[in-house]
Amino acid sequence: MWKLNTRTLGSRLVILFGAVTIPLLIILYLAGDYAKGVVLTQVAKSYENLVNSNLNMIDRSLDDITLNMVDIVNHDDNFRLFEQPGLSGSDSYFAQMELIRRNDYYQSYYHTVDMFFIYSKPNDLLVSTNLTGEAASYYEVVRGWLTDSFYHSDSLKKAMYKWSVVHISDQYFLYRIVSDDDTNNAYIGALININSLRTPLGSLNLPEGSDLLFAGDDGTVLSNAAEPLDSLKRLPPAELNKNHAFTTDANGGKEKLLVVTSRSRNVGIHTAVVIPNSELLRGLNAFQTFTYLLPLIVLAILIAYGFIFRSLIFTPIRQLLGAIRRIKEGNMSARLPSSGTVEFNIINHTFNGMVEEIVDLKIDVYEERLRAQKAQMKQLQLQINPHFFLNTMNIIFQLVDLKRYELVKKTVRLLVQYFRFMMTVKRDTITLEQETAHIRNYLEIQRMRYQESFLFGIEIAEELKDVHIPSLFVQPFVENAMIHGMSLQHVPFRLDITASRAESEGAGGGEGVMLIEVRDNGKGIPPEKLEELNAPDYAPVSEDSNIGIWNVKQRLAMRYGDRARLIFQAGEPRGTVVRILLPMSFPEERNDV
């Protein structure tokens, strides 16, 4: 059943439509994913370069801050004085003021430093600059934490060799101290709030909903994030340590985030630019949503297209095929209704007229022609070839499938002219021009069937167009050439009909002699068959075998006697040539058809 269904026009149109649209939808879907990947890659590279350059600037700033503190420890007399025990009030005051002044200067230069501090261990004295941007209450919390830290030697040693991340109250800081290696009686240090590290990166132009974050090696987010990323507390540590851009989930997997990260060489923190994919791919998401909806849109269009096409094309075609089938079965009462489509209305009207003419033709053939002359009846019956008629109907059907309506009208017009001639010829002679016009209609229809595989030509001398010949005299040879000589294996089959004045070549009488040739390049006729056809006493072995040729020979003998000849020859390099020589007749009054 499936094989049968795929042979119908509707099924093939659906398959063709699907074969075009499905790959297109797949390409659109893949293109959307590819475009998303390209956008994410390009954005990651862009922000990665910016983050790296700014992070290098932060690292250089941390190096400079460390050098400044080392310089104070090694060369500043006030610091050396500060580490001595038993300072007088005035000496302690001036040393503190000078160190604070110098550190205030450096703090104003290094904007990222939130606090410089100096601690004298012998005197248990902590001196610091103000804590930038924080309330006085929090300032005291930080000073308390610093004072307490100097009583823990392990944490002191860790902070003396590199910058460390410390947690003071609800804030994260970078913490570094420097001391005189000989005595370790005095320490100078710096605190940098992690949020203050955002200052050098303020030039980053981030999309809406994005933020710059700092995270530790364990993935903990150290800086304060703005909405909507304020709920983001951790980043995947495995991805962070790879030091590359990656995509992660947020809000329980409901949202995708692009993270562009880079690790500081001075301290174990990672700078991460976090951008929601929804912001990066706002336009692409709309495109991808469209690609998801496109199959449903296509399906709706296809269904609507099917209903419209069914009413416009399939229903009239089924009606036409049904009428053809009933006529083939012998029901000549079959008629087609009027159609709302102009082209099908013309086809239906022409078809109905053709059926009427066929009915009339059958009546004429059986009630008039068959009673007039048995031989002529047989000859005329052969002209009404049901295969030719059905082939022509198939040609019309195929042209309708292809929507070649002009060719449909032309084919129907040729077929109507062909049958009109067959039904309306009244006399036993017609002009050569009328005979060739009838043959041309037949050959034009055959060319509709075989297309480029069939060519034909008709060439008649102008002076011979009004010559009278027996009706349907050349037609049997043309039909035999199409039926028995047609060959499509090598080159297009060609049929040529020519008519010219010729020498008598044995034709008797003083009248002029006309030569009609029917030449083709088809299969040809075997030599023994040519000899049989050229024999004067030729007779077909059955009524179904070359009865048309025998009919023409009998009519030639009855009308012209020895003055006409019919010769069959082999064509060069292949094919068959039929030569008809007969006297020319120019009646004063033209016969009617």
PDB file of all heavy atoms in Angstrom, residues 410-434:
ATOM      1  N   LYS A 410      -3.271  23.172 -26.106  1.00  0.00           N
ATOM      2  CA  LYS A 410      -2.785  22.881 -27.453  1.00  0.00           C
ATOM      3  C   LYS A 410      -3.030  21.420 -27.804  1.00  0.00           C
ATOM      4  O   LYS A 410      -3.478  21.093 -28.906  1.00  0.00           O
ATOM      5  CB  LYS A 410      -1.288  23.211 -27.528  1.00  0.00           C
ATOM      6  CG  LYS A 410      -0.681  22.914 -28.894  1.00  0.00           C
ATOM      7  CD  LYS A 410       0.804  23.277 -28.921  1.00  0.00           C
ATOM      8  CE  LYS A 410       1.401  22.945 -30.279  1.00  0.00           C
ATOM      9  NZ  LYS A 410       2.846  23.265 -30.330  1.00  0.00           N
ATOM     10  N   THR A 411      -2.739  20.507 -26.850  1.00  0.00           N
ATOM     11  CA  THR A 411      -2.926  19.076 -27.111  1.00  0.00           C
ATOM     12  C   THR A 411      -4.394  18.757 -27.350  1.00  0.00           C
ATOM     13  O   THR A 411      -4.740  18.021 -28.278  1.00  0.00           O
ATOM     14  CB  THR A 411      -2.382  18.258 -25.925  1.00  0.00           C
ATOM     15  OG1 THR A 411      -1.025  18.626 -25.693  1.00  0.00           O
ATOM     16  CG2 THR A 411      -2.458  16.781 -26.214  1.00  0.00           C
ATOM     17  N   VAL A 412      -5.249  19.302 -26.495  1.00  0.00           N
ATOM     18  CA  VAL A 412      -6.694  19.048 -26.666  1.00  0.00           C
ATOM     19  C   VAL A 412      -7.168  19.613 -28.000  1.00  0.00           C
ATOM     20  O   VAL A 412      -7.968  18.985 -28.711  1.00  0.00           O
ATOM     21  CB  VAL A 412      -7.477  19.660 -25.484  1.00  0.00           C
ATOM     22  CG1 VAL A 412      -8.972  19.562 -25.736  1.00  0.00           C
ATOM     23  CG2 VAL A 412      -7.116  18.945 -24.191  1.00  0.00           C
ATOM     24  N   ARG A 413      -6.673  20.790 -28.348  1.00  0.00           N
ATOM     25  CA  ARG A 413      -7.078  21.388 -29.630  1.00  0.00           C
ATOM     26  C   ARG A 413      -6.642  20.509 -30.808  1.00  0.00           C
ATOM     27  O   ARG A 413      -7.407  20.266 -31.748  1.00  0.00           O
ATOM     28  CB  ARG A 413      -6.475  22.779 -29.751  1.00  0.00           C
ATOM     29  CG  ARG A 413      -6.923  23.511 -31.020  1.00  0.00           C
ATOM     30  CD  ARG A 413      -6.469  24.960 -31.023  1.00  0.00           C
ATOM     31  NE  ARG A 413      -5.024  25.083 -31.046  1.00  0.00           N
ATOM     32  CZ  ARG A 413      -4.296  25.482 -30.015  1.00  0.00           C
ATOM     33  NH1 ARG A 413      -4.880  25.787 -28.884  1.00  0.00           N
ATOM     34  NH2 ARG A 413      -2.980  25.560 -30.109  1.00  0.00           N
ATOM     35  N   LEU A 414      -5.395  19.984 -30.727  1.00  0.00           N
ATOM     36  CA  LEU A 414      -4.911  19.102 -31.794  1.00  0.00           C
ATOM     37  C   LEU A 414      -5.743  17.823 -31.865  1.00  0.00           C
ATOM     38  O   LEU A 414      -6.071  17.340 -32.963  1.00  0.00           O
ATOM     39  CB  LEU A 414      -3.439  18.762 -31.556  1.00  0.00           C
ATOM     40  CG  LEU A 414      -2.433  19.917 -31.702  1.00  0.00           C
ATOM     41  CD1 LEU A 414      -1.051  19.479 -31.223  1.00  0.00           C
ATOM     42  CD2 LEU A 414      -2.377  20.410 -33.139  1.00  0.00           C
ATOM     43  N   LEU A 415      -6.066  17.273 -30.687  1.00  0.00           N
ATOM     44  CA  LEU A 415      -6.839  16.038 -30.658  1.00  0.00           C
ATOM     45  C   LEU A 415      -8.237  16.275 -31.222  1.00  0.00           C
ATOM     46  O   LEU A 415      -8.766  15.436 -31.971  1.00  0.00           O
ATOM     47  CB  LEU A 415      -6.914  15.523 -29.223  1.00  0.00           C
ATOM     48  CG  LEU A 415      -7.525  14.141 -29.044  1.00  0.00           C
ATOM     49  CD1 LEU A 415      -6.688  13.088 -29.758  1.00  0.00           C
ATOM     50  CD2 LEU A 415      -7.658  13.797 -27.566  1.00  0.00           C
ATOM     51  N   VAL A 416      -8.834  17.399 -30.849  1.00  0.00           N
ATOM     52  CA  VAL A 416     -10.167  17.723 -31.375  1.00  0.00           C
ATOM     53  C   VAL A 416     -10.113  17.895 -32.887  1.00  0.00           C
ATOM     54  O   VAL A 416     -10.968  17.385 -33.642  1.00  0.00           O
ATOM     55  CB  VAL A 416     -10.707  18.992 -30.702  1.00  0.00           C
ATOM     56  CG1 VAL A 416     -11.970  19.486 -31.410  1.00  0.00           C
ATOM     57  CG2 VAL A 416     -11.013  18.716 -29.235  1.00  0.00           C
ATOM     58  N   GLN A 417      -9.105  18.583 -33.386  1.00  0.00           N
ATOM     59  CA  GLN A 417      -8.966  18.772 -34.841  1.00  0.00           C
ATOM     60  C   GLN A 417      -8.760  17.435 -35.543  1.00  0.00           C
ATOM     61  O   GLN A 417      -9.289  17.194 -36.630  1.00  0.00           O
ATOM     62  CB  GLN A 417      -7.801  19.715 -35.122  1.00  0.00           C
ATOM     63  CG  GLN A 417      -8.054  21.148 -34.687  1.00  0.00           C
ATOM     64  CD  GLN A 417      -6.811  22.016 -34.812  1.00  0.00           C
ATOM     65  OE1 GLN A 417      -5.730  21.536 -35.103  1.00  0.00           O
ATOM     66  NE2 GLN A 417      -6.991  23.311 -34.570  1.00  0.00           N
ATOM     67  N   TYR A 418      -7.979  16.545 -34.865  1.00  0.00           N
ATOM     68  CA  TYR A 418      -7.717  15.230 -35.452  1.00  0.00           C
ATOM     69  C   TYR A 418      -9.033  14.464 -35.605  1.00  0.00           C
ATOM     70  O   TYR A 418      -9.363  13.954 -36.685  1.00  0.00           O
ATOM     71  CB  TYR A 418      -6.740  14.471 -34.557  1.00  0.00           C
ATOM     72  CG  TYR A 418      -6.458  13.063 -35.012  1.00  0.00           C
ATOM     73  CD1 TYR A 418      -5.455  12.799 -35.921  1.00  0.00           C
ATOM     74  CD2 TYR A 418      -7.215  11.993 -34.536  1.00  0.00           C
ATOM     75  CE1 TYR A 418      -5.195  11.502 -36.347  1.00  0.00           C
ATOM     76  CE2 TYR A 418      -6.965  10.701 -34.948  1.00  0.00           C
ATOM     77  CZ  TYR A 418      -5.950  10.453 -35.853  1.00  0.00           C
ATOM     78  OH  TYR A 418      -5.696   9.189 -36.265  1.00  0.00           O
ATOM     79  N   PHE A 419      -9.810  14.383 -34.516  1.00  0.00           N
ATOM     80  CA  PHE A 419     -11.046  13.620 -34.580  1.00  0.00           C
ATOM     81  C   PHE A 419     -12.119  14.341 -35.413  1.00  0.00           C
ATOM     82  O   PHE A 419     -12.973  13.699 -36.030  1.00  0.00           O
ATOM     83  CB  PHE A 419     -11.573  13.349 -33.170  1.00  0.00           C
ATOM     84  CG  PHE A 419     -10.858  12.215 -32.493  1.00  0.00           C
ATOM     85  CD1 PHE A 419      -9.966  12.459 -31.463  1.00  0.00           C
ATOM     86  CD2 PHE A 419     -11.060  10.916 -32.892  1.00  0.00           C
ATOM     87  CE1 PHE A 419      -9.305  11.421 -30.844  1.00  0.00           C
ATOM     88  CE2 PHE A 419     -10.401   9.879 -32.275  1.00  0.00           C
ATOM     89  CZ  PHE A 419      -9.517  10.124 -31.257  1.00  0.00           C
ATOM     90  N   ARG A 420     -12.099  15.669 -35.408  1.00  0.00           N
ATOM     91  CA  ARG A 420     -13.050  16.397 -36.247  1.00  0.00           C
ATOM     92  C   ARG A 420     -12.836  16.057 -37.724  1.00  0.00           C
ATOM     93  O   ARG A 420     -13.774  15.845 -38.478  1.00  0.00           O
ATOM     94  CB  ARG A 420     -12.928  17.892 -36.003  1.00  0.00           C
ATOM     95  CG  ARG A 420     -13.908  18.700 -36.846  1.00  0.00           C
ATOM     96  CD  ARG A 420     -13.779  20.193 -36.584  1.00  0.00           C
ATOM     97  NE  ARG A 420     -14.291  20.531 -35.270  1.00  0.00           N
ATOM     98  CZ  ARG A 420     -13.561  21.063 -34.319  1.00  0.00           C
ATOM     99  NH1 ARG A 420     -12.278  21.292 -34.528  1.00  0.00           N
ATOM    100  NH2 ARG A 420     -14.095  21.348 -33.150  1.00  0.00           N
ATOM    101  N   PHE A 421     -11.536  15.985 -38.090  1.00  0.00           N
ATOM    102  CA  PHE A 421     -11.243  15.625 -39.472  1.00  0.00           C
ATOM    103  C   PHE A 421     -11.726  14.198 -39.761  1.00  0.00           C
ATOM    104  O   PHE A 421     -12.323  13.928 -40.803  1.00  0.00           O
ATOM    105  CB  PHE A 421      -9.740  15.738 -39.718  1.00  0.00           C
ATOM    106  CG  PHE A 421      -9.333  15.397 -41.131  1.00  0.00           C
ATOM    107  CD1 PHE A 421      -9.346  16.364 -42.124  1.00  0.00           C
ATOM    108  CD2 PHE A 421      -8.956  14.107 -41.466  1.00  0.00           C
ATOM    109  CE1 PHE A 421      -8.979  16.044 -43.423  1.00  0.00           C
ATOM    110  CE2 PHE A 421      -8.592  13.783 -42.755  1.00  0.00           C
ATOM    111  CZ  PHE A 421      -8.606  14.754 -43.738  1.00  0.00           C
ATOM    112  N   MET A 422     -11.457  13.288 -38.803  1.00  0.00           N
ATOM    113  CA  MET A 422     -11.843  11.896 -39.012  1.00  0.00           C
ATOM    114  C   MET A 422     -13.356  11.752 -39.133  1.00  0.00           C
ATOM    115  O   MET A 422     -13.853  10.905 -39.879  1.00  0.00           O
ATOM    116  CB  MET A 422     -11.339  11.041 -37.834  1.00  0.00           C
ATOM    117  CG  MET A 422      -9.821  11.009 -37.688  1.00  0.00           C
ATOM    118  SD  MET A 422      -9.024  10.148 -39.049  1.00  0.00           S
ATOM    119  CE  MET A 422      -9.670   8.511 -38.828  1.00  0.00           C
ATOM    120  N   MET A 423     -14.083  12.577 -38.409  1.00  0.00           N
ATOM    121  CA  MET A 423     -15.537  12.430 -38.375  1.00  0.00           C
ATOM    122  C   MET A 423     -16.241  13.206 -39.487  1.00  0.00           C
ATOM    123  O   MET A 423     -17.371  12.901 -39.843  1.00  0.00           O
ATOM    124  CB  MET A 423     -16.067  12.889 -37.012  1.00  0.00           C
ATOM    125  CG  MET A 423     -15.684  11.969 -35.864  1.00  0.00           C
ATOM    126  SD  MET A 423     -16.446  12.441 -34.292  1.00  0.00           S
ATOM    127  CE  MET A 423     -15.634  13.994 -33.999  1.00  0.00           C
ATOM    128  N   THR A 424     -15.563  14.240 -39.990  1.00  0.00           N
ATOM    129  CA  THR A 424     -16.279  15.126 -40.922  1.00  0.00           C
ATOM    130  C   THR A 424     -15.857  14.954 -42.371  1.00  0.00           C
ATOM    131  O   THR A 424     -16.408  15.622 -43.245  1.00  0.00           O
ATOM    132  CB  THR A 424     -16.064  16.588 -40.513  1.00  0.00           C
ATOM    133  OG1 THR A 424     -14.654  16.867 -40.482  1.00  0.00           O
ATOM    134  CG2 THR A 424     -16.649  16.850 -39.130  1.00  0.00           C
ATOM    135  N   VAL A 425     -14.843  14.099 -42.635  1.00  0.00           N
ATOM    136  CA  VAL A 425     -14.461  13.933 -44.039  1.00  0.00           C
ATOM    137  C   VAL A 425     -15.624  13.260 -44.799  1.00  0.00           C
ATOM    138  O   VAL A 425     -16.181  12.260 -44.356  1.00  0.00           O
ATOM    139  CB  VAL A 425     -13.155  13.099 -44.153  1.00  0.00           C
ATOM    140  CG1 VAL A 425     -13.342  11.697 -43.593  1.00  0.00           C
ATOM    141  CG2 VAL A 425     -12.705  13.041 -45.603  1.00  0.00           C
ATOM    142  N   LYS A 426     -16.036  13.846 -45.913  1.00  0.00           N
ATOM    143  CA  LYS A 426     -17.262  13.401 -46.615  1.00  0.00           C
ATOM    144  C   LYS A 426     -16.967  12.739 -47.954  1.00  0.00           C
ATOM    145  O   LYS A 426     -17.739  11.922 -48.423  1.00  0.00           O
ATOM    146  CB  LYS A 426     -18.195  14.594 -46.835  1.00  0.00           C
ATOM    147  CG  LYS A 426     -18.701  15.215 -45.530  1.00  0.00           C
ATOM    148  CD  LYS A 426     -19.576  16.410 -45.825  1.00  0.00           C
ATOM    149  CE  LYS A 426     -20.079  17.045 -44.528  1.00  0.00           C
ATOM    150  NZ  LYS A 426     -20.926  18.237 -44.794  1.00  0.00           N
ATOM    151  N   ARG A 427     -15.894  13.124 -48.593  1.00  0.00           N
ATOM    152  CA  ARG A 427     -15.632  12.611 -49.926  1.00  0.00           C
ATOM    153  C   ARG A 427     -14.413  11.716 -49.930  1.00  0.00           C
ATOM    154  O   ARG A 427     -13.657  11.678 -48.979  1.00  0.00           O
ATOM    155  CB  ARG A 427     -15.447  13.766 -50.912  1.00  0.00           C
ATOM    156  CG  ARG A 427     -16.688  14.628 -51.030  1.00  0.00           C
ATOM    157  CD  ARG A 427     -16.543  15.627 -52.147  1.00  0.00           C
ATOM    158  NE  ARG A 427     -17.746  16.451 -52.273  1.00  0.00           N
ATOM    159  CZ  ARG A 427     -17.920  17.356 -53.227  1.00  0.00           C
ATOM    160  NH1 ARG A 427     -16.960  17.591 -54.094  1.00  0.00           N
ATOM    161  NH2 ARG A 427     -19.037  18.046 -53.280  1.00  0.00           N
ATOM    162  N   ASP A 428     -14.259  10.996 -51.026  1.00  0.00           N
ATOM    163  CA  ASP A 428     -13.152  10.061 -51.069  1.00  0.00           C
ATOM    164  C   ASP A 428     -11.857  10.737 -51.505  1.00  0.00           C
ATOM    165  O   ASP A 428     -10.818  10.083 -51.543  1.00  0.00           O
ATOM    166  CB  ASP A 428     -13.482   8.912 -52.017  1.00  0.00           C
ATOM    167  CG  ASP A 428     -13.737   9.400 -53.430  1.00  0.00           C
ATOM    168  OD1 ASP A 428     -13.933  10.641 -53.613  1.00  0.00           O
ATOM    169  OD2 ASP A 428     -13.722   8.579 -54.351  1.00  0.00           O
ATOM    170  N   THR A 429     -11.889  12.015 -51.859  1.00  0.00           N
ATOM    171  CA  THR A 429     -10.654  12.743 -52.180  1.00  0.00           C
ATOM    172  C   THR A 429     -10.623  14.058 -51.407  1.00  0.00           C
ATOM    173  O   THR A 429     -11.658  14.683 -51.190  1.00  0.00           O
ATOM    174  CB  THR A 429     -10.535  13.027 -53.694  1.00  0.00           C
ATOM    175  OG1 THR A 429     -11.604  13.885 -54.094  1.00  0.00           O
ATOM    176  CG2 THR A 429     -10.542  11.732 -54.500  1.00  0.00           C
ATOM    177  N   ILE A 430      -9.433  14.437 -51.020  1.00  0.00           N
ATOM    178  CA  ILE A 430      -9.202  15.721 -50.362  1.00  0.00           C
ATOM    179  C   ILE A 430      -7.927  16.299 -50.928  1.00  0.00           C
ATOM    180  O   ILE A 430      -7.167  15.616 -51.638  1.00  0.00           O
ATOM    181  CB  ILE A 430      -9.078  15.561 -48.831  1.00  0.00           C
ATOM    182  CG1 ILE A 430      -7.934  14.612 -48.495  1.00  0.00           C
ATOM    183  CG2 ILE A 430     -10.380  15.088 -48.216  1.00  0.00           C
ATOM    184  CD1 ILE A 430      -7.645  14.504 -47.011  1.00  0.00           C
ATOM    185  N   THR A 431      -7.660  17.563 -50.600  1.00  0.00           N
ATOM    186  CA  THR A 431      -6.414  18.174 -51.076  1.00  0.00           C
ATOM    187  C   THR A 431      -5.238  17.650 -50.266  1.00  0.00           C
ATOM    188  O   THR A 431      -5.375  17.204 -49.125  1.00  0.00           O
ATOM    189  CB  THR A 431      -6.459  19.707 -50.967  1.00  0.00           C
ATOM    190  OG1 THR A 431      -6.525  20.059 -49.581  1.00  0.00           O
ATOM    191  CG2 THR A 431      -7.670  20.276 -51.695  1.00  0.00           C
ATOM    192  N   LEU A 432      -4.075  17.716 -50.902  1.00  0.00           N
ATOM    193  CA  LEU A 432      -2.859  17.287 -50.202  1.00  0.00           C
ATOM    194  C   LEU A 432      -2.609  18.163 -48.968  1.00  0.00           C
ATOM    195  O   LEU A 432      -2.123  17.680 -47.938  1.00  0.00           O
ATOM    196  CB  LEU A 432      -1.659  17.379 -51.160  1.00  0.00           C
ATOM    197  CG  LEU A 432      -0.300  16.947 -50.590  1.00  0.00           C
ATOM    198  CD1 LEU A 432      -0.351  15.505 -50.117  1.00  0.00           C
ATOM    199  CD2 LEU A 432       0.793  17.150 -51.639  1.00  0.00           C
ATOM    200  N   GLU A 433      -2.975  19.428 -49.050  1.00  0.00           N
ATOM    201  CA  GLU A 433      -2.791  20.319 -47.901  1.00  0.00           C
ATOM    202  C   GLU A 433      -3.663  19.881 -46.727  1.00  0.00           C
ATOM    203  O   GLU A 433      -3.228  19.899 -45.565  1.00  0.00           O
ATOM    204  CB  GLU A 433      -3.131  21.752 -48.304  1.00  0.00           C
ATOM    205  CG  GLU A 433      -2.892  22.767 -47.187  1.00  0.00           C
ATOM    206  CD  GLU A 433      -3.190  24.189 -47.637  1.00  0.00           C
ATOM    207  OE1 GLU A 433      -3.931  24.347 -48.614  1.00  0.00           O
ATOM    208  OE2 GLU A 433      -2.658  25.129 -47.008  1.00  0.00           O
ATOM    209  N   GLN A 434      -4.920  19.439 -47.016  1.00  0.00           N
ATOM    210  CA  GLN A 434      -5.795  18.973 -45.954  1.00  0.00           C
ATOM    211  C   GLN A 434      -5.263  17.680 -45.328  1.00  0.00           C
ATOM    212  O   GLN A 434      -5.320  17.478 -44.112  1.00  0.00           O
ATOM    213  CB  GLN A 434      -7.211  18.772 -46.497  1.00  0.00           C
ATOM    214  CG  GLN A 434      -7.891  20.078 -46.879  1.00  0.00           C
ATOM    215  CD  GLN A 434      -9.173  19.850 -47.658  1.00  0.00           C
ATOM    216  OE1 GLN A 434      -9.327  18.819 -48.331  1.00  0.00           O
ATOM    217  NE2 GLN A 434     -10.087  20.808 -47.589  1.00  0.00           N
TER     218      GLN A 434
END
